[in-house]
Amino acid sequence: MIRFVLVRLMRAVITILAVVTFAFVVLRMSGDPAQVMLGPDVPQDAVGAFRKAWGLDQPIWIQYLAYIKSIFTGDFGVSMRDKASALHLVLERVPATLQLTLPALILKLMIGIPAGVYAALHRQSFADRGVITLAIIGFTVPSFVMGLVLVLIFSVLLGMLPSGGQDTWMHGILPTITMSIGGIGILARFSRSAMIEVLGQPYIRTASAKGLKWRDVIWSHALPNAAVPIVTIVGFMVGSLIAGAVVVESIFSWPGIGRLLIVSVSNRDLAVVQCILLIIAAAMVMSNLVVDLLYGWLDPRLRSHAGH
């Protein structure tokens, strides 16, 4: 088990380092922050002074080594736009993002999994077909399209809910629903498939043949075994919550991390963008690491293949 954990931790560190390296290189290849910050009409002397002040005149490998060193010392850089700590600017937006992502995750779990299980238990019924249809619509329609449709219906046509902002709790309803719909569809389909596969296993027929009530068979045998693969999907969703907020926060003018990322990318605010991407990568990697560790605990066979 110790070796299993160490291998997973090593893979997590390598993955985060790869994401950080990729983001660092791509951001510096996408444009000169000096030109974006200062404008096209600024004298070249001013541009040169700006690049020197922020270390952009150094070779990229020197900038990269300095950045990696600063991360390990807890320094995530300074915003070129606000002249403030990049980490502080990002952490200020975390509560607003959590106000959307946590309720969205709860809705995904409370609706998606029961709907999938119910559809599996009533296979080929009208309810099953309805769940499949709604699930397909939910995870195939892009979130920005779903958000605009909800705004058109509930804000423009019906006037029931605000279309943007963060002034009251009602402002969070539409963005939370928008973030939930896709995940609900994915969980519903995956839960249905997992339950159907488990219900066809011999131990389910054996439990029924022993005289157990069907309800006890479902709760004691089917659901626990079907829940194992669903952990993977839930773990991925937890890790991608912040990444999923980027589009939704932009549509609904929600002042969270996602909207900050869009603004920072357009301004080439390197330190802020790198800090947000690092947090997103760390969240996804850590959630997947927890899933791997849960799998290793639940299934000892995985631990025996930890080195593969």
Side-chain angles (χ1 to χ4, degrees), residues 85 100 104 172 179 184 188 194 198 211 261 274 280 286:
S85 168
L100 296 183
M179 291 187 65
I184 290 173
V198 168
L261 177 61
Q274 290 168 172
I280 293 176
M286 292 306 297

Side-chain angles (χ1 to χ4, degrees), residues 260-271:
L260 177 63
L261 177 61
I262 297 297
V263 174
S264 300
V265 169
S266 63
N267 290 325
R268 297 297 189 276
D269 201 345
L270 301 182

Side-chain angles (χ1 to χ4, degrees), residues 23 56 77 89 106 195 198 241 252 254 288 301 306:
L56 301 176
L89 292 175
I106 293 173
M195 276 295 294
V198 168
L241 285 174
F252 294 97
W254 191 268
N288 289 328
R301 293 173 300 177

Side-chain angles (χ1 to χ4, degrees), residues 12-227:
V13 172
I14 293 175
T15 302
I16 293 177
L17 183 61
V19 172
V20 169
T21 303
F22 179 78
F24 185 91
V25 174
V26 170
L27 285 173
R28 279 152 183 79
M29 294 176 60
S30 62
D32 188 359
Q35 295 291 344
V36 177
M37 291 287 182
L38 301 179
D41 300 327
V42 175
Q44 289 301 312
D45 293 343
V47 174
F50 180 91
R51 298 185 80 252
K52 184 176 181 180
W54 292 97
L56 301 176
D57 59 331
Q58 300 290 330
I60 189 171
W61 65 272
I62 294 180
Q63 297 181 46
Y64 175 74
L65 292 178
Y67 175 63
I68 295 297
K69 180 181 178 181
S70 66
I71 287 180
F72 283 104
T73 60
D75 181 10
F76 292 86
V78 177
S79 169
M80 295 179 181
R81 180 185 180 188
D82 299 307
K83 306 300 186 294
S85 168
L87 182 61
H88 177 71
L89 292 175
V90 174
L91 293 180
E92 281 184 338
R93 303 293 188 101
V94 170
T97 297
L98 292 179
Q99 289 178 16
L100 296 183
T101 54
L102 292 183
L105 178 62
I106 293 173
L107 284 177
K108 293 175 186 179
L109 298 176
M110 292 182 62
I111 299 177
I113 295 177
V117 172
Y118 184 85
L121 296 177
H122 299 80
R123 193 176 180 185
Q124 303 302 327
S125 66
F126 177 79
D128 181 27
R129 296 188 182 92
V131 168
I132 294 176
T133 301
L134 294 177
I136 293 175
I137 295 174
F139 69 77
T140 54
V141 176
S143 58
F144 70 89
V145 175
M146 186 65 68
L148 293 176
V149 170
L150 292 178
V151 168
L152 178 63
I153 295 175
F154 293 99
S155 297
V156 178
L157 297 180
L158 300 179
M160 296 173 56
L161 297 170
S163 60
Q166 194 196 11
D167 297 333
T168 65
W169 64 271
M170 295 184 66
H171 287 77
I173 295 179
L174 290 183
T176 299
I177 294 176
T178 303
M179 291 187 65
S180 307
I181 291 178
I184 290 173
I186 293 174
L187 277 177
R189 286 206 65 184
F190 203 88
S191 301
R192 177 184 180 274
S193 299
M195 276 295 294
I196 290 176
E197 182 178 356
V198 168
L199 291 174
Q201 296 300 315
Y203 58 82
I204 297 295
R205 294 192 294 269
T206 301
S208 300
K210 289 181 177 180
L212 290 178
K213 294 181 179 179
W214 182 241
R215 181 179 61 184
D216 295 332
V217 173
I218 296 300
W219 282 101
S220 301
H221 297 276
L223 284 177
N225 287 281

